[in-house]
Amino acid sequence: QVQLVESGGGGVQPGGSLRLSCAASGFTFSNYPMHWVRQAPGRGLEWVAVISYDGTNANYADSVKGRFTISRDNSKNTLFLQMNSLRAEDTAVYYCARDPSSSCGFFDLWGRGTLLTVSS
Amino acid sequence: DIQMTQSPSSLSASVGDRVTITCRTSQTISNCLNWYQQKPGKAPKLLIFGASSLQSGVASRFSGSGSGTDFTFTINSLQPEDFATYYCQQTYSIPRTFGQGTKVEIK
């Protein structure tokens, strides 16, 4: 079954850290760039980060640059998002998404999401 | 960063109506524009990629058009299961920005 399953969300205090995981199955994970997208409660979608298929290149939204790190372990078919110096405004559902395109790009497979709540 | 202006932010329509949503970008993006549908509590679902290509398995009543900076998404003959929020997204450059969303509600 082709799917992505996020985990690792939960409650954390401002300034804290957390690592999200996204387990891929049913397809050749190492062939695809992967993204994290988040959605604050009642708000729209916000792109967070992307990592190349081999993990050698990554890019971030300005809102998380320097605090979040995207990585992957292709041997374990898993994508990660290490989040440090967390702020209240990072509270959101975090989705991982697959990008199958070699040209413009699009997100054809999404996980169900994992909720991060940053609060004291 | 490329700014996305999606309109309207919400609309009310009846089953069988034709619905049109527009997305304008702050700079040209060729055809690197995608459309997603999201229902409450669910992940987004890809409907249209490359401005006008229908994702496999998606109903043919959904369509997209446009190039450059102006794009249109259309639902022909709105069905009950189409009441949701729709987002455009540009993938021409980093960051991969989304529009603000259009909530399609039942009239």
Side-chain angles (χ1 to χ4, degrees):
Chain A
Q1 183 180 3
V2 176
Q3 64 177 358
L4 297 169
V5 179
E6 302 93 339
S7 62
V12 64
Q13 293 188 336
S17 298
L18 207 64
R19 188 177 81 159
L20 305 182
S21 299
C22 168
S25 59
F27 65 97
T28 306
F29 178 69
S30 60
N31 285 353
Y32 297 89
M34 295 293 296
H35 300 255
W36 286 100
V37 176
R38 69 184 180 182
Q39 186 169 37
R43 306 295 296 273
L45 301 169
E46 179 187 15
W47 177 84
V48 173
V50 60
I51 189 167
S52 60
Y53 70 98
D54 60 359
T56 57
N57 288 292
N59 285 283
Y60 301 89
D62 286 346
S63 58
V64 307
K65 199 172 294 182
R67 300 187 299 122
F68 289 12
T69 302
I70 188 172
S71 62
R72 65 193 298 161
D73 184 339
N74 285 343
S75 68
K76 296 182 178 178
N77 295 332
T78 304
L79 175 72
F80 302 102
L81 186 68
Q82 177 66 43
M83 304 181 294
N84 299 329
S85 302
L86 283 164
R87 306 166 181 169
E89 54 264 36
D90 295 319
T91 294
V93 174
Y94 284 74
Y95 298 99
C96 58
R98 183 180 78 172
D99 183 349
S101 175
S102 59
S103 56
C104 289
F106 49 89
F107 300 174
D108 72 331
L109 179 67
W110 297 65
R112 293 184 176 181
T114 188
L115 176 62
L116 168 70
T117 302
V118 183
S119 174
S120 55
Chain B
D1 296 0
I2 295 175
Q3 308 304 314
M4 313 289 287
T5 303
Q6 185 177 341
S7 61
S9 57
S10 65
L11 63 90
S12 295
S14 301
V15 172
D17 284 354
R18 181 179 186 182
V19 168
T20 298
I21 299 169
T22 64
C23 189
R24 175 167 289 178
T25 58
S26 60
Q27 54 188 277
T28 184
I29 62 168
S30 184
N31 67 334
C32 298
L33 194 285
N34 310 314
W35 293 94
Y36 299 86
Q37 175 194 68
Q38 187 180 33
K39 296 182 178 179
K42 301 293 187 181
K45 173 186 176 182
L46 177 69
L47 301 179
I48 302 288
F49 64 93
S52 60
S53 296
L54 189 68
Q55 171 68 350
S56 175
V58 172
S60 58
R61 63 180 178 275
F62 296 102
S63 64
S65 65
S67 183
T69 61
D70 291 289
F71 301 86
T72 301
F73 172 78
T74 301
I75 309 172
N76 281 303
S77 189
L78 194 68
Q79 297 300 298
E81 60 267 29
D82 300 338
F83 292 96
T85 300
Y86 295 84
Y87 294 92
C88 59
Q89 177 205 30
Q90 68 80 21
T91 49
Y92 184 79
S93 67
I94 297 288
R96 304 288 203 227
T97 39
F98 290 89
Q100 301 92 328
T102 296
K103 186 173 185 178
V104 177
E105 299 175 301
I106 302 172
K107 182 182 285 185

